[in-house]
Amino acid sequence: MDEKTLDGIIDKYPYPSGRTLGILREIQIHERHIPMDTLKQVSEKLQVPLSELFALVTFYSFFSLKPVGEHLITVCMGTPCHVKGAEIILKTIEEHLGLSGDTQDGKYLQTTPDNKFTVEIARCFGACSMAPVLHVDGDLHGYVTPERIPDVLEMYGWTR
């Protein structure tokens, strides 16, 4: 990320409360991940230890240090979703997108070869009454079944 763009993002957050997370979230949106060199720049500009920023980025599931696809699919694996078939939902998505299901650095994060879709898992969205659920680009989809997966994917440009 160029310095002018980064400075513009930082300037949007002058108040200490939520500043760091807001800045990191905007970088994530702009770059589709948080590059390590940008994280180092933020550390210097905010005078926050790099280790503290790294801890934030690796703690929150909505941040990624690796590039993600154009569309981000997050499958909930919390207890209610798990009980109602989230693993089958994830496997169905993997099959339709041609993903292997492997983990990277201990975290589930899969991206299609064309960079169109990235699939990740999370522990809870707070929508347990609609289990199983998934987010696609922040849109919540509830009561998901394996049969509905192609329709959901088509909404974001996937073709059968």
Side-chain angles (χ1 to χ4, degrees), residues 28-110:
Q28 173 79 30
I29 291 166
H30 188 270
E31 298 288 316
R32 296 199 333 230
H33 75 295
I34 300 178
M36 190 54 105
D37 61 329
T38 303
L39 198 61
K40 289 175 185 173
Q41 286 179 289
V42 172
S43 172
E44 292 169 8
K45 290 177 179 290
L46 298 183
Q47 297 181 337
V48 174
L50 181 59
S51 60
E52 188 176 312
L53 295 177
F54 189 80
L56 285 172
V57 170
T58 56
F59 177 78
Y60 290 104
S61 63
F62 49 82
F63 292 130
S64 177
L65 292 168
K66 296 181 182 195
V68 296
E70 182 181 334
H71 300 286
L72 180 61
I73 302 168
T74 308
V75 179
C76 180
M77 288 292 178
T79 303
C81 289
H82 179 78
V83 168
K84 291 195 173 189
E87 284 189 35
I88 295 167
I89 300 301
L90 180 61
K91 290 287 182 206
T92 304
I93 293 169
E94 290 172 348
E95 289 170 9
H96 286 297
L97 297 180
L99 300 172
S100 67
D102 296 333
T103 60
Q104 298 174 9
D105 302 328
K107 180 180 179 183
Y108 182 95
L109 185 71
Q110 296 291 308

